[in-house]
Amino acid sequence: GPALCLDLFCMFQTRSLLSVFEEDAGTLTDYTNQLLQSMQRVFGAQNEMALATEQLSKQLLEYEKQNFALGRGDEEVISTLQHFARTVEELNALHTDLASQIANRMVFPVVQFREKDLTGMAVLMLVTLIKMNQASFSAAMVKYSRLPKKRENEKLKAEVVREVAFCRRKQHQASMQYYCALNALQYRKRVAMLEPLLGYTQAQINFFKKGMELVSKKMDSFLASVSSMTQSIQAQLDAEAESMRLSQRELLSVEDTVYMPDHDLVPINRTLIQKAGYLNIRNKTGLVTTAWDRLYFFTQGGNLMCQPRGAVAGGMVLDLDNSSVMAVECEDRRYCFQITSPTGKTSMILQAESKREYEEWICTINNISRQIYLTDNPEAVAIRLNQTAIQAVTPITSFEKRAEEASNDQLQGNQRRSSATTVPEPEDLIAPGTPIQFDIVLPASEFQDQNRAGGRRTNPFGETEEESSSGADDSLLQQVFAVRFLGSMAVRSGHTQEVIYEAMRQVLAARAIHNIFKTSESHLMVTSSCLRLIDPQTQVTKISFQLKDVTQFAAHQENSRLMGFVVEGRDWSEGAEEGQPSFSAYIFESNTEGEKICYTINLGKEITEAKKDPEALAQLMKSMPLTNDGKFLLLESETGEAANGGGQEDLESEA
């Protein structure tokens, strides 16, 4: 009933089961051929014995016709040989009859079993039908995979879905018929193995009975039991065939929705540590062309494995330890996600068949990347981490709410820091339940003001001399990096790198739990006075920080593309005259190594300190390479040219 319907989803298990039957049938064919050769050898030997005894009988009679020169006294020998000739002739009749019985009762049944059951036309036609259905189903799945995500044609979608369901039904029916044929073969195999030996043994007994009465009743009873066993196996075959006919009748009554893709009724499991199933993988076929292949993927320990068509076992595709996974938009296909190695040098884009498979694959890979599978009880650890993360991480899209909710935890954080040990706990770095902001939304009014100001904020009362000089000082260092903002959150400490690592962990965990994988690219400009996050399309500054307020910055120790920094601010909620210090961590993913961004920020701070002493600034400028216009030269190995000549085109080309 329902359990059988659920098994229809496991198309790979069905095909694997059929492959097991096919392998067994191939082994049986080889064994049957070898067995037939042995039986034919026995028949040949017995037939040769009949011919040999006939020739021996004639040869014995020929002794009398020989004209021996010294043949006197051979009369007794001749009469004895004639008696032996009659005895051999009688034995020849027995051997001839035995050879005939071996041919009819031992060799012929095996030949009939091989020609009719193993290599019959019915089985070959079923194999051909299954291959045709598999080709039709693959073509239908290709059409379904190409359905666009937006502006779908419902009529076209319904036709493609019905086509997939029809092909699945045909494939499943043909597979079940093939399975029935191969299953029945298991019973016929037993009969085919026992029946020839039964005939051979009976023929030998008849041979010995006629020659000499040496066969006991015990042997007769044994043969009777073998005959009874053969009849019992035949009865089991009939019962199994009837059961399979009932199963096929039940399958014919199943609704088409059971065969339709993206019709999952089972809830999503986010605590998996292993996963298997079919995925579409994107492969490059040229400089700008790609192709999608549907292959079987599965996880084994910390590795992602792939089993190509026709392969006996799978091979490793990617090491998932410390890897990253995120949803991506790819060629207007649905349910696509990208897996990237820790170094960022290797990545692949995969497409799942349904939303449930899509989310479970992402959660499974994320769990494996944390190396949960190495623990003593990985299932329990995965469940506990998932529950803890859901309780501790709440997505939020407002800086104001974040500040309000984090203000109450700030005093508790100060108290905890005073009693902290040498190794800070996560609760000492970030308050439990601290909200996370996943995007920076620019207010509409501020966006219009910046557009009117040419992509730069202006003071309605006019710029002061200090601001003008600050702009001039920025000309010493202007470096732009292409980054993606992952999230920000309030932290309790702003002077250790551990708080940045903990913020990275919580931001990535929150994105995975809440399925927030989409990110937009921005430009992070590092100058000698501030950090600015710029929209590359409009050149509008989303948010900026004074470099003196950046208290700490670091790149991830294992994933070099992740970096973050901590900014110090003031909390005026307590009504204090100067405000309480507050800290916020900002996490980014860069197209280049995070260490380069950290190096640039550190250089900006050195320039800021050196500007207080003209001699120190001059010494610093002597120790660093400069461009023709007097700016510090950075990342020459990446861009191949001077770092940002200040024009907008240079910023865009470098990013």
Side-chain angles (χ1 to χ4, degrees), residues 308-352:
R309 297 183 183 90
V312 178
M316 191 183 78
V317 178
L318 187 66
D319 185 0
L320 298 178
D321 288 346
N322 300 316
S323 63
S324 61
V325 57
M326 64 177 62
V328 293
E329 297 287 343
C330 187
E331 299 180 7
D332 201 23
R333 286 189 174 225
R334 301 177 299 172
Y335 313 137
C336 293
F337 59 95
Q338 176 176 315
I339 308 174
T340 306
S341 63
T343 60
K345 297 181 180 180
T346 304
S347 64
M348 62 175 57
I349 295 179
L350 303 170
Q351 181 189 19

Side-chain angles (χ1 to χ4, degrees), residues 170-237:
K170 287 180 61 180
Q171 183 183 10
H172 200 267
Q173 290 176 356
S175 299
M176 289 303 297
Q177 292 176 1
Y178 188 38
Y179 166 74
C180 293
L182 294 179
N183 196 31
L185 180 62
Q186 302 303 309
Y187 295 93
R188 296 194 183 97
K189 173 186 68 176
R190 302 172 191 175
V191 175
M193 294 298 105
L194 297 177
E195 187 178 13
L197 297 178
L198 178 63
Y200 172 75
T201 307
Q202 289 177 341
Q204 290 286 359
I205 289 175
N206 292 332
F207 172 79
F208 289 115
K209 277 184 176 180
K210 293 178 180 179
M212 49 178 61
E213 298 294 335
L214 298 178
V215 179
S216 64
K217 294 183 179 180
K218 183 178 180 181
M219 181 62 72
D220 293 336
S221 63
F222 170 74
L223 295 179
S225 65
V226 173
S227 178
S228 176
M229 183 186 301
T230 303
Q231 295 176 1
S232 175
I233 294 174
Q234 186 65 38
Q236 292 181 16
L237 170 60

Side-chain angles (χ1 to χ4, degrees), residues 229-263:
M229 183 186 301
T230 303
Q231 295 176 1
S232 175
I233 294 174
Q234 186 65 38
Q236 292 181 16
L237 170 60
D238 297 338
E240 183 70 17
E242 181 63 24
S243 175
M244 294 310 301
R245 281 193 292 269
L246 294 176
S247 299
Q248 290 185 11
R249 192 178 301 114
E250 184 179 1
L251 289 175
L252 294 175
S253 62
V254 172
E255 296 292 336
D256 288 342
T257 55
V258 177
Y259 293 91
M260 291 181 179
D262 210 1
H263 188 72

Side-chain angles (χ1 to χ4, degrees), residues 47 63 95 146 164 186 211 242 249 294 305 318 379 511 617:
N47 191 49
Y63 186 85
H95 283 294
R146 292 176 178 173
V164 173
Q186 302 303 309
E242 181 63 24
R249 192 178 301 114
R294 186 169 181 266
M305 314 289 288
L318 187 66
E379 291 81 4
R511 281 183 167 270
L617 179 60

